[in-house]
Structure formats: C-alpha cells, structure tokens
C-alpha cells in the first residue's frame, strides 16, 4: 500500500503551504510539538481531514482578487499524485470515441490515458507559436466529439507559462465550442509545476476564467517529494 510517513501531519498541522504569489511554504512543518503520523488513502479520517484542509487553502488562493468561488470539501479529491488525478478526471468524463485536444510538444502520458479511456487524442501544434495556444488553431480542432483539452502550465517539456491573454482566448474558444455543439468541453489543467516560477512570473488560476475546469495537482514538485505520491483534483464549483 502507498503511504507517506509524516507527510499527513506536515500538511494538516502546517497546511499553509501555499501563498497567492506563487511561492510554496512549509511553515513549521516538522515542529517539535507535532506528532508524526502516517497518511494512508484508505484511512477515511485522515482523508477527510486532508480534504477539508486543502479545500480551505484552495478557497483562499483561488479567490484572491478574483470572482468568488465557494470551494468546498466535495470539490476536492485526494489522489496518488497528479497522474492518478489525470486518470481519474479523464475516465470520469470521457466516453469511447470522444476527442481530447492536447497541445504539443507536451507530456506523453496524456495521449496514453485518453487512449486507454477509448478516446482519440487530437494534437494541437504549438511549436511555431512561441508555445502559446493560438485561438484560431484551437477553433479549427473543436468538433462535435470534443470533450476536453488538457493543458500544462508551466509546461513540461518547454517550461513555458501560458499568458493570461492566451488563457482568455483559450477559454473563449472552448465556450464557443460548447455553445455550438451543446455540451460541456472540459478544461483539464495539469499543474505539478505551478509554484516553480521565477522572475516575478505568475501562473493564472484557471477557475477564474472558465467554469468547466478540473485541476490536477501534485505536491511532488513543489515540496520536492516525488516518491510520496500525494496530490488532489479540484473540480470547479461552477462545473456543469
């Protein structure tokens, strides 16, 4: 069974591991008064506590200067890292034969997960556009079968951060597709590198721009704990 000695205690007793400026903090993470615990996904009590704590932090940071989002524990699912989150999110929304748009170059696992789910991956080439998504190119790929787009910012492997202007254009294109074809198109955001930004760069919180957003996050990169395999899914309270 997967377990992470001490991490559950660090997260729940010193849960302020985020800040709105994109910097990660572990405040008094292993303080003398803390009692190290064992976190197991099968431990219902620890899962519920962790979900409540994470939802409170997400509610705070996603509402800083933005429209109000009432993020509750039921909007959060603790996962075994971001990959588990991606599998869970995509298997939850995809039906065989539907399409998932994936900007390329990108993380190869996205296509693998979509294929296992019985869906088709539609590649959006961003290699000639400064690795930003062009609205017209995205428009051309949205069809009646489009169910989702997966984005990753900061991006693996390019390191590029999608600009706010780019995010707004992306979301506008998705909304037009929803209106045209009469069904939701989900924005799946893979965000394990969110805090790894420098020089004053910021990563937009996508829940501000688009209702049908699902965020898959892992603590592996921000806390340098890739072997611990703990993350979460955040489902926007405004999702359809």
């Amino acid at each position: 069974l997967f377990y992470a000695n001490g991490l559950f205690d660090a997260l729940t007793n010193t849960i302020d591991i985020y800040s709105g400026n994109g910097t990660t903090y572990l405040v008094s993470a292993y303080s003398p008064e803390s009692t190290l615990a064992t976190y197991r996904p099968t431990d219902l009590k620890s899962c519920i506590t962790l979900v409540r704590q994470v939802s409170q932090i997400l509610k705070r940071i996603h509402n800083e200067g933005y429209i109000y989002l009432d993020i509750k524990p039921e909007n959060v699912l603790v996962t075994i890292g971001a990959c588990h989150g991606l599998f869970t999110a995509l298997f939850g929304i995809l039906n065989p034969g539907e399409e998932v748009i994936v900007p390329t170059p990108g993380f190869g696992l996205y296509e693998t997960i979509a294929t296992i789910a019985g869906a088709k991956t539609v590649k959006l080439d961003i290699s000639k556009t400064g690795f930003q998504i062009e609205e017209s190119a995205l428009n051309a790929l949205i069809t009646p079968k489009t169910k989702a787009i997966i984005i990753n910012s900061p991006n693996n492997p390019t390191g590029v951060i999608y600009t706010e202007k780019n995010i707004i254009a992306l979301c506008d294109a998705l909304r037009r597709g929803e209106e045209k074809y009469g069904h939701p198109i989900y924005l799946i955001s893979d965000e394990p590198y969110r805090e790894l930004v420098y020089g004053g760069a910021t990563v937009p919180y996508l829940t501000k721009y688009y209702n049908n957003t699902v965020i898959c996050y892992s603590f592996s990169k921000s806390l340098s704990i890739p072997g611990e395999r703990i993350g979460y899914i955040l489902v926007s309270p405004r999702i359809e």
Side-chain angles (χ1 to χ4, degrees), residues 77-158:
L77 175 68
V78 173
T79 61
I80 308 174
C83 288
H84 178 213
L86 288 165
F87 268 96
T88 302
L90 290 173
F91 270 74
I93 66 172
L94 289 175
N95 296 303
E98 292 179 330
E99 296 176 351
V100 180
I101 298 174
V102 178
T104 56
F107 187 38
L109 189 62
Y110 302 149
E111 182 172 5
T112 302
I113 299 173
T115 300
I116 294 173
K120 175 185 176 183
T121 300
V122 178
K123 296 182 179 181
L124 172 59
D125 184 6
I126 57 174
S127 63
K128 299 178 179 62
T129 58
F131 302 111
Q132 299 287 330
I133 296 173
E134 277 196 350
E135 186 175 0
S136 59
L138 176 58
N139 282 331
L141 296 182
I142 296 175
T143 74
K145 294 184 178 181
T146 302
K147 193 62 170 290
I149 180 171
I150 305 173
I151 67 171
N152 173 220
S153 177
N155 182 264
N156 175 11
T158 67

Side-chain angles (χ1 to χ4, degrees), residues 135 138-139 142 164-180 185 187 209-210:
E135 186 175 0
L138 176 58
N139 282 331
I142 296 175
E164 182 177 43
K165 180 180 179 181
N166 199 227
I167 291 297
I168 291 172
L170 160 67
C171 295
D172 286 343
L174 295 180
R175 273 188 289 269
R176 283 195 297 271
E178 290 183 324
E179 293 172 0
K180 182 176 181 179
I185 300 176
L187 175 56
Y209 305 94
Y210 192 68

Side-chain angles (χ1 to χ4, degrees), residues 8-230:
F8 174 69
D9 182 79
L11 291 180
T12 55
N13 287 288
T14 62
I15 192 65
D16 196 9
I17 58 174
Y18 293 95
S19 76
N21 63 10
T23 303
T24 302
Y25 299 97
L26 260 179
V27 182
S28 64
Y30 287 91
S31 57
E33 62 271 18
S34 296
T35 301
L36 297 185
T38 299
Y39 164 63
R40 298 176 185 272
T42 53
D43 180 348
L44 181 60
K45 181 178 179 181
S46 67
C47 282
I48 291 174
T49 302
L50 182 56
V51 164
R52 286 174 178 168
Q53 297 279 9
V54 170
S55 66
Q56 290 172 11
I57 297 300
L58 294 176
K59 184 174 181 177
R60 188 181 76 228
I61 64 175
H62 281 252
N63 283 313
E64 290 184 349
Y66 296 159
I67 57 177
Y68 180 73
L69 286 176
D70 188 17
I71 295 174
K72 299 178 180 178
E74 52 262 40
N75 300 119
V76 177
L77 175 68
V78 173
T79 61
I80 308 174
C83 288
H84 178 213
L86 288 165
F87 268 96
T88 302
L90 290 173
F91 270 74
I93 66 172
L94 289 175
N95 296 303
E98 292 179 330
E99 296 176 351
V100 180
I101 298 174
V102 178
T104 56
F107 187 38
L109 189 62
Y110 302 149
E111 182 172 5
T112 302
I113 299 173
T115 300
I116 294 173
K120 175 185 176 183
T121 300
V122 178
K123 296 182 179 181
L124 172 59
D125 184 6
I126 57 174
S127 63
K128 299 178 179 62
T129 58
F131 302 111
Q132 299 287 330
I133 296 173
E134 277 196 350
E135 186 175 0
S136 59
L138 176 58
N139 282 331
L141 296 182
I142 296 175
T143 74
K145 294 184 178 181
T146 302
K147 193 62 170 290
I149 180 171
I150 305 173
I151 67 171
N152 173 220
S153 177
N155 182 264
N156 175 11
T158 67
V160 166
I161 298 171
Y162 293 145
T163 65
E164 182 177 43
K165 180 180 179 181
N166 199 227
I167 291 297
I168 291 172
L170 160 67
C171 295
D172 286 343
L174 295 180
R175 273 188 289 269
R176 283 195 297 271
E178 290 183 324
E179 293 172 0
K180 182 176 181 179
Y181 297 116
H183 64 78
I185 300 176
Y186 297 99
L187 175 56
I188 312 295
S189 183
D190 181 23
E191 301 189 359
Y193 306 99
R194 164 169 284 282
E195 287 81 20
L196 302 184
V197 294
Y198 309 94
T202 59
V203 182
Y205 287 103
L206 299 182
T207 50
K208 171 185 177 181
Y209 305 94
Y210 192 68
N211 290 345
N212 287 324
T213 296
V214 178
I215 293 173
C216 300
Y217 183 84
S218 170
F219 295 105
S220 297
K221 310 301 188 296
S222 59
L223 301 184
S224 298
I225 52 169
E228 302 290 11
R229 313 308 303 152
I230 293 181

